[in-house]
Amino acid sequence: MNLAVLIVMLLGGFVLLIKGADLFVDGACGLSEKLKIPAYLVGMTVVAFGTSLPEAAVSVTASIQGSNAIAIGNVIGSNTFNTLVVLGSSAIIAPVLVKDKLLRRDFPFCLAISVLLLILIVTLGNGQIALTRADGIILLILFVIFMAGSIIGAKKEAVPETSGQQAEMKLWKCILLIIIGIAGVIIGGQLTVTGAKGLARMIGLSETVIGLTVIAVGTSLPELVTSIVAARKGQNDIAVGNVIGSNIFNILFILGMSAVISPMITDSYAIIDCCMLIAVSLVPFVFALFKRKINRPMGIFMLLMYVAYTSYLLIR
């Protein structure tokens, strides 16, 4: 591909990401109001799973092809990016209020499964650093439990229907906007990654550098754009729910499914990166415990953490 085509793909991808995320958030907000479901639960389920489809496609395909290091690295890298950059950027746009329910249940659960992932990689790989099929089944069972708990929670926390614009939106329109939004963010993400990879190769970056930066960040662009759009619209519940839900989905479903398809043997760096993910998961949780929100200075600190971690990866 020539330079002009790559630039058009990159810019076109960004346009699709932004517009798709805009429609996605509108549809998700409308669905929340119409079904009387708290916005953060919609963010943790419909929005989170929709924006995690690129990670699912990359990791499952990598697992089928035997590229297990890519499958595991993609999930760990994406979760790190989601927590530090997506949540940090949302906090810079508007302070993110964190509900008590998230602090009592969802944040600790996300942290716990990150610790579980480290334990599974280290101890249950038959002498190797790996995720076995049995590990994958454990992760998928936990995913089913999480989904069941979310559905039960949605019924218990049903909210009164409001008279706003989203409440007046027809149910079919909400679903249509969500579907169009998902299509936009997925296609936009693919175009952006392809264009960025082509440009990176054209200017002489190595495949390793491209994998550490473009692939991990590119598959997380839907989460980034969706959460930023949600924050700009004042839907912080969807922004923070999207990050936590995506991280849970990535570990439990994507790695679970990938490990069931093919046992995933990786290298010792996965242990270091998993420890980093646990530390990263603790940062917003500790911040939110004190003030029940993640404010702009905290968001800036989280972005600087990601810059430092990326620098370490490049040096490594």
Side-chain angles (χ1 to χ4, degrees):
M1 294 184 190
N2 59 40
L3 181 61
V5 172
L6 292 172
I7 292 175
V8 169
M9 290 180 68
L10 189 61
L11 295 178
F14 278 126
V15 170
L16 280 175
L17 276 170
I18 294 169
K19 188 58 182 176
D22 190 43
L23 295 175
F24 200 170
V25 170
D26 284 344
C29 292
L31 185 66
S32 170
E33 297 286 357
K34 205 70 183 175
L35 300 182
K36 302 180 182 180
I37 299 173
Y40 83 91
L41 280 175
V42 175
M44 287 189 62
T45 52
V46 177
V47 177
F49 300 166
T51 55
S52 287
L53 288 177
E55 285 95 334
V58 169
S59 291
V60 171
T61 301
S63 179
I64 292 173
Q65 296 177 352
S67 301
N68 296 319
I70 291 178
I72 295 177
N74 179 43
V75 166
I76 294 176
S78 293
N79 280 16
T80 302
F81 182 87
N82 287 345
T83 304
L84 295 181
V85 178
V86 176
L87 196 54
S89 299
S90 300
I92 290 172
I93 292 171
V96 176
L97 301 177
V98 182
K99 293 184 177 296
D100 288 339
K101 183 74 70 176
L102 286 169
L103 288 174
R104 292 198 309 268
R105 183 186 66 190
D106 301 314
F107 258 122
F109 182 73
C110 189
L111 178 61
I113 62 173
S114 299
V115 174
L116 174 63
L117 176 61
L118 175 62
I119 293 172
L120 293 177
I121 289 175
V122 172
T123 63
L124 300 181
N126 298 322
Q128 295 175 311
I129 299 170
L131 284 176
T132 65
R133 285 193 173 91
D135 299 338
I137 292 171
I138 291 172
L139 294 176
L140 289 176
I141 290 173
L142 287 174
F143 177 72
V144 172
I145 293 172
F146 167 73
M147 285 302 300
S150 296
I151 293 171
I152 294 171
K155 291 181 178 179
K156 289 182 179 180
E157 299 174 45
V159 296
E161 189 171 344
T162 67
S163 58
Q165 180 181 356
Q166 279 82 17
E168 297 173 358
M169 191 183 297
K170 299 293 185 182
L171 180 60
W172 67 266
K173 186 176 181 181
C174 296
I175 296 173
L176 181 62
L177 288 177
I178 288 174
I179 292 173
I180 294 174
I182 288 175
V185 295
I186 292 175
I187 296 171
Q190 292 296 319
L191 286 174
T192 302
V193 170
T194 302
K197 283 174 65 177
L199 288 172
R201 287 174 180 150
M202 190 168 289
I203 62 177
L205 290 178
S206 69
E207 289 288 330
T208 301
V209 173
I210 294 171
L212 287 170
T213 56
V214 178
I215 299 300
V217 173
T219 55
S220 294
L221 283 178
E223 285 93 338
L224 176 62
V225 178
T226 299
S227 289
I228 287 177
V229 171
R232 288 177 62 86
K233 290 175 177 286
Q235 294 289 340
N236 279 322
D237 282 354
I238 285 183
V240 67
N242 178 33
V243 169
I244 297 175
S246 292
N247 287 358
I248 291 172
F249 181 83
N250 288 347
I251 291 176
L252 296 184
F253 181 79
I254 296 178
L255 279 186
M257 185 63 68
S258 299
V260 167
I261 291 172
S262 174
M264 308 170 70
I265 300 173
T266 184
D267 54 37
S268 59
Y269 283 125
I271 297 175
I272 298 173
D273 294 331
C274 206
C275 289
M276 178 62 187
L277 176 60
I278 294 169
V280 163
S281 300
L282 272 172
V283 170
F285 180 50
V286 172
F287 280 162
L289 275 177
F290 286 100
K291 296 187 177 180
R292 294 298 190 271
K293 67 179 180 181
I294 302 172
N295 56 26
R296 288 186 178 92
M298 294 174 182
I300 293 171
F301 175 75
M302 290 162 70
L303 289 181
L304 291 176
M305 276 190 67
Y306 185 77
V307 171
Y309 177 61
T310 302
S311 300
Y312 156 73
L313 286 177
L314 296 176
I315 293 171
R316 186 177 77 185

